[in-house]
Amino acid sequence: TYAIAEAGEIRVATLLGEGKPRLAKLSAYKILALAYVVTVPLSFLFFVFHNWLPSCLTSDAELQGLMRSVFSQVALGNVALTLGSVSWTLVGAQGRYPRATFHGFLGSAAVAI
């Protein structure tokens, strides 16, 4: 999704520079939708295989148990933080990095709590 965010940032900034704010807004919505389409299935697979993945990463039974207990939360956090990251990039393309950083901080803090 990093590539999607970067491509979207360039597209939105170019359209804004050309004086086409309506098209920039439409492109931003399309980029968010594309990021959602990529992130949700990946997180779903992560959630489905949360019992199998720990055994691929370690042979320690205690660590496997700990990983199994948090992988479902990691899958949900992946959706929220990825969409937040793409949104931060798109708002930054408008030259509003302080606002984007503030809202990114609030979103990350909300997920951490």
Side-chain angles (χ1 to χ4, degrees):
T1 55
Y2 180 76
I4 294 170
E6 290 302 312
E9 179 180 27
I10 292 167
R11 180 74 176 152
V12 168
T14 300
L15 288 170
L16 287 172
E18 292 175 355
K20 299 176 183 176
R22 197 173 125 264
L23 289 176
K25 184 176 181 179
L26 181 64
S27 291
Y29 285 137
K30 287 180 181 180
I31 293 297
L32 284 171
L34 182 61
Y36 186 75
V37 166
V38 170
T39 301
V40 169
L42 185 62
S43 292
F44 178 74
L45 289 174
F46 195 63
F47 183 74
V48 167
F49 294 114
H50 76 279
N51 285 325
W52 177 72
L53 284 173
S55 62
C56 294
L57 299 173
T58 183
S59 60
D60 186 2
E62 186 174 347
L63 284 177
Q64 287 178 0
L66 292 171
M67 283 189 242
R68 282 189 189 99
S69 67
V70 298
F71 271 1
S72 58
Q73 295 168 354
V74 169
L76 293 175
N78 181 43
V79 174
L81 293 176
T82 299
L83 293 176
S85 174
V86 172
S87 298
W88 180 87
T89 303
L90 294 173
V91 173
Q94 301 170 25
R96 299 177 178 174
Y97 283 107
R99 178 177 288 184
T101 303
F102 176 72
H103 288 287
F105 168 75
L106 289 180
S108 296
V111 168
I113 291 175

